[in-house]
Amino acid sequence: MWYAIEGHDAADALPRRLEARQAHLARLTALRDEGRLLLAGPCPAIDAEDPGPAGFSGSIVIAEFDSLEDARAWAEADPYVAAGVYARVDVRPFRKVLP
């Protein structure tokens, strides 16, 4: 089943985000290579493709896992969690309809 994982950035998280980015992307690349990643990306804190020093308000990942527990465990092991980038992470089932 698909699961939506939404990480909400902590205040002033941009330096920690940049520091942990390579490890975070490596995990997403592994999901992609396994055919389990629907989409992933950050949410700019301002209405701009590149928010610069304004940073990001969080990230969204939609990926396939065997269970909600597996999706939560994967989310909790994210390098952004360990680095303190995310103040909160929500994980919930997702049903793809379109396209």
Side-chain angles (χ1 to χ4, degrees):
M1 182 166 184
W2 294 107
Y3 293 90
I5 300 168
E6 186 172 8
H8 303 268
D9 279 22
D12 301 316
L14 185 58
R16 295 185 301 280
R17 178 182 271 274
L18 295 174
E19 189 174 305
R21 186 170 189 265
Q22 292 294 21
H24 172 77
L25 290 178
R27 295 179 81 234
L28 293 171
T29 299
L31 281 179
R32 181 201 63 198
D33 292 350
E34 295 167 7
R36 297 173 44 209
L37 182 64
L38 184 62
L39 66 87
C43 301
I46 60 172
D47 189 13
E49 183 72 23
D50 179 358
F56 300 90
S57 62
S59 303
I60 297 171
V61 174
I62 299 180
E64 188 175 35
F65 294 92
D66 289 334
S67 67
L68 180 58
E69 293 77 22
D70 288 348
R72 285 182 176 148
W74 187 90
E76 289 169 8
D78 193 298
Y80 281 178
V81 171
V85 173
Y86 295 150
R88 184 177 98 239
V89 178
D90 298 323
V91 182
R92 57 192 178 276
F94 176 82
R95 192 180 81 161
K96 182 182 177 206
V97 175
L98 294 172

